[in-house]
Amino acid sequence: MLKSIDVLMVGVGGQGTILASRVLAQAAQAAGYDIKVSEIHGMAQRGGSVVTQVRLGEKVYSPLIVKGGADVLLAFEKLEALRLLSYLKKDGVLIVNDQAIDPVPVLVGAAEYPPDIPEYLCTTVPGTLVFDATEIAGRCGTAKAANVVLLGAMARRLPIERAIWEKALAERVPAKLLEVNQAAFAAGYELG
């Protein structure tokens, strides 16, 4: 019997959250899981929140994860991690890109970007993994592959074989970008 796993991916428009969720769904399906996916795009074209919920299991009846129900929270931006932290289980896995993207209230001067988010997350959730996926992706060839670095870090913690992940990545990423994304996935996998 396959263990049920609920993954919440959060970021902002343009960070590749949707692509990462589709690679996860494809890898999980190839590994024999039933899957349900839900996507919420909040003004994604203008840097708004993007939230995807991916539920895996023997049989999944709903795509929605309840608060306190996510086994994994994968955050592409640290304020989004803080904003949706209530969805993570008490013993859940939290992986966060140490990147700040100012939301509109910060851009217009109506609010201040919260300081010390990584410290708060690490104190609140033992075992939290925070790293600069954007910088790592840049070393692999393009900062745009930060989503795949994060995906690689999460992949190592899920019960799906690495070869299945790599095949799903190859099927979802355009051929001309595959090599850099393979390097980004490998870099993230080593961190996870």
Side-chain angles (χ1 to χ4, degrees):
M1 177 174 254
L2 297 170
K3 179 185 174 210
S4 295
I5 303 169
D6 293 340
V7 177
L8 187 66
M9 295 185 180
V10 299
V12 299
Q15 287 194 296
T17 309
I18 302 297
L19 173 65
S21 68
R22 291 182 179 162
V23 172
L24 165 59
Q26 188 157 341
Q29 187 174 35
Y33 286 93
D34 185 36
I35 305 148
K36 295 285 186 290
V37 178
S38 172
E39 299 171 354
I40 300 169
H41 312 240
M43 301 288 284
Q45 296 296 323
R46 298 180 185 161
S49 294
V50 176
V51 178
T52 63
Q53 301 182 38
V54 184
R55 302 189 70 212
L56 331 171
E58 192 78 23
K59 182 67 184 162
V60 179
Y61 296 98
S62 168
L64 301 179
I65 300 170
V66 298
K67 281 190 175 182
D71 297 288
V72 179
L73 174 55
L74 185 65
F76 296 67
E77 198 275 354
K78 56 189 173 184
L79 184 55
E80 291 300 305
L82 185 62
R83 202 171 66 79
L84 291 157
L85 185 60
S86 63
Y87 280 84
L88 187 64
K89 283 182 177 175
K90 287 187 188 279
D91 60 346
V93 171
L94 178 58
I95 301 172
V96 181
N97 185 11
D98 191 9
Q99 181 182 21
I101 298 175
D102 292 341
V104 172
V106 173
L107 290 172
V108 299
E112 190 173 309
Y113 195 95
D116 307 325
I117 292 174
E119 292 78 6
Y120 175 78
L121 294 174
C122 290
T123 301
T124 306
V125 182
T128 294
L129 180 61
V130 180
F131 59 92
D132 190 341
T134 307
E135 189 273 328
I136 293 170
R139 280 191 271 133
C140 294
T142 176
K144 291 181 179 178
N147 60 336
V148 177
V149 173
L150 290 160
L151 188 68
M154 181 185 70
R156 188 160 184 170
R157 296 173 182 228
L158 296 184
I160 298 172
E161 293 178 23
R162 183 173 177 167
I164 292 174
W165 284 102
E166 291 170 342
K167 185 171 187 283
L169 186 66
E171 291 172 359
R172 285 285 174 181
V173 173
K176 66 181 181 182
L177 302 173
L178 184 57
E179 188 175 341
V180 68
N181 278 279
Q182 287 172 325
F185 182 86
Y189 198 87
E190 293 306 314
L191 285 171

